[in-house]
Amino acid sequence: MNHRHLLLPLAVATVLLSLSACRKEPTPEPAPAAAQPGPAAETADEFVARVNAELKAAYPEQTSAQWLSSTFINDDSQRIAAKTNERSLAQLNQWIEQAKAYDGAPMSAASRRALDMLKLMTAMPAPRDPKKLAELTEIAARMEGMYGAGTYCSGEGDAKKCRQLGELEDVLRSSRDYDAQLEAWQGWHTIAKPMRQDYVRFVELVNQGSREMGFADTGAMWRSGYDMPADEFAAETDRLWSQVQPLYEQLHCYTRDKLAQAYGVERGQVGGGLLPAHLMGNMWQQDWGNLWDILEPYKGVGSLDITATLEKQYQQALGAAERKRGPGASVQARFEAQREAQLAVAKQMTERAQDFYTSLNMPKLPDGYWAKTQFIKPLDRDVVCHASAWDMNMGGADGKSPDVRTKMCIKPNEEDFTTIYHELGHVYYYLAYNHQPPIFQGGANDGFHEAIGDTIVLAMTPKYLESIGLVDGQAQSQQALINAQMRMALAKVAFLPFGLMIDRWRWGVFDGSITPDHYNQAWWELKAKYQGVAPATPRGEEFFDPGAKYHVPGNTPYTRYFLSHILQFQFYKSLCEAAGQTGPLYDCTFYGDPEAGRKFWTMLQHGSSQPWQATLKELTGSEQIDGGAVLEYFAPLQEWLKQQNAGKQCGWDAAPAPAATQQPPAGRH
Ligand code: X8Z
Ligand code: ZN
């Protein structure tokens, strides 16, 4: 996992070291037997140096295999990715075994930390048995491929229509037709059914790998990557959730009311006050920003419609591309003009994001970034569109420059625009810690890696957005403030329980308290408990709804995003202070501030070379993750929501989703 370490992109299946962001990472190839002196011949410090050198040497080939399998999905690329991972994981197991010989041996503090971190370098601990190892990497590559290539077809004959995730998401984003949204939501979830058997086996195999490494199960292993005992870490996540839960419940209450106004009381909620999964504007109900038309507190005050501006920019780019081709252009030429405009706007959006980072004195992205990044969805093959950031060569060696990239299918809308800032956060982290030894090339913990770009998104205040021409003149009023806060809350507050529930489910699956015959039931119980969300139609065990969320087939741990959504407010507050801002937290931006940039970069440079608590303390003065900054930021909105909700019955009955289970209902909370 990633915690600190190297992870590779997400890509493929899971590989090893994961680190960062969305990625998974590979490991190195075994050196020829003769070249491996083995522990007896090496001191601990020499052993760590060799592991670092071999990691770095093997890394480019592994990331290339993964990049190919994520940007060109077919049987061959999956085979190569699986085989590469197989070698990487076997090598990692060998190192972990060899490291045992150094228990109690003299070594530097850095080597001790590096050896401890070896065991946590992958989120996919592999069994030693070579057959099982091969089986595991094949399953992982297959599941990721199924997700990336997932297609829902409806209708027959000439009316047959096939859609992938992007088009189905468009329906949830833009349509307000209850039935069309339901079909899009259900349609996407059909793609996960065939993953169920693979996932059951996957869990058995990674659990065996975890046990061989000395962990109780894979969830316990994931929880042990936080420089504190695993049990304490789990309790920390409960503590953080209890801090922010009241804010979420107010937002939930307000939203339910608005949905009832938009769709009617019957259709606007499910059962005891739960929000219908297909009406939330997002396939997983993790970001409610697309419901702006329904949830905007004061219509048109301080217009924050970034999507509309981006769409306009696309139309302009299209106009230019069409003019270039002249009036009587062929159908083919008009189509090419569209592609050219899509790519141009995607690059403009990325340049805009880069500009925020360079305003903090961070470097420009290397030329190779622009040459090798996947900006938009290719038309001639399946790809994993889920956004990710890649470090292909750990900073390069032998005169090579860093090879960093992102992989997205960018569309001109607000969500993708902020996701670009998120991804560049990963990329700048890579660039900042590239001088560290490979084992320390990771986030302070994985939540840090996820929080960098989002911290910048928090600094995109209405004033900043106006200054870059993305929104029009901003009114200074209480109503404008509430609108701006709501816009941010729909992304950040709505996310919190989602960030928690995914791994609550996986922790249960890994420790056996959730068995395969209850996978879907447990999933919806957790969705109900934490998010207050439910499906509008029964979702029995013939479905495998967890598989419709990328990080489950992609095996990316998810608690990192929950942590990130708390940490980013702490980072933001500290950088605002560094920039000398004294006004209310929500009003601050540190765009263009050199001191904020210096502090930020200093933090990034540490990578995972020291416990995250030390890194956090340097930046914020505290060693604790804490929800206080979230509450401070949203204080005006929370007050406003309380007034709006006064007299309403808030909360929900987290009873089982319809037909999903026969258990007695849990109480209202
Ligand atoms: O997966 C991501 C990033 C890549 S690390 C696009 N995120 C989570 C998600 O989409 O589920 C960012 C926010 C949460
Ligand atoms: Zn990320």
Side-chain angles (χ1 to χ4, degrees), residues 241 244 248 492-501 562 565-566 630:
W241 171 233
V244 295
Y248 178 75
K492 304 295 181 189
V493 179
F495 182 83
L496 290 162
F498 182 75
L500 209 55
M501 63 79 41
F562 174 73
H565 278 68
I566 306 271
V630 177

Side-chain angles (χ1 to χ4, degrees), residues 243-387:
Q243 282 186 291
V244 295
Q245 189 178 4
L247 175 58
Y248 178 75
E249 288 181 1
Q250 294 288 340
L251 184 65
H252 182 283
C253 194
Y254 169 80
T255 301
R256 184 173 62 206
D257 198 50
K258 292 284 174 194
L259 281 179
Q261 287 171 26
Y263 291 93
V265 182
E266 284 295 298
R267 292 184 138 196
Q269 58 174 293
V270 175
L274 295 128
L275 305 174
H278 67 289
L279 295 184
M280 303 311 294
N282 175 280
M283 197 59 83
W284 310 277
Q285 311 83 46
Q286 67 185 67
D287 182 330
W288 304 347
N290 291 326
L291 299 189
W292 187 243
D293 54 319
I294 296 176
L295 301 178
E296 183 178 11
Y298 298 105
K299 286 271 167 273
V301 178
S303 87
L304 291 170
D305 196 346
I306 295 176
T307 298
T309 310
L310 293 169
E311 177 60 31
K312 238 181 269 160
Q313 292 179 356
Y314 168 70
Q315 292 301 339
Q316 279 164 6
L318 181 59
E322 281 175 342
R323 276 192 300 280
K324 232 167 53 186
R325 287 165 174 83
S330 64
V331 172
Q332 173 68 16
R334 289 215 309 274
F335 180 72
E336 283 165 9
Q338 283 173 16
R339 295 288 294 169
E340 184 182 310
Q342 286 163 12
L343 183 60
V345 170
K347 286 188 179 174
Q348 272 170 29
M349 291 162 73
T350 309
E351 280 162 6
R352 178 51 70 198
Q354 172 184 245
D355 171 70
F356 202 121
Y357 290 88
T358 56
S359 90
L360 300 174
N361 286 333
M362 295 190 196
K364 283 196 151 199
L365 296 165
D367 291 347
Y369 172 86
W370 298 100
K372 293 182 174 174
T373 279
Q374 177 192 297
F375 290 99
I376 59 174
K377 189 175 192 291
L379 296 175
D380 58 344
R381 58 191 192 258
D382 283 321
V383 301
V384 178
C385 275
H386 190 85

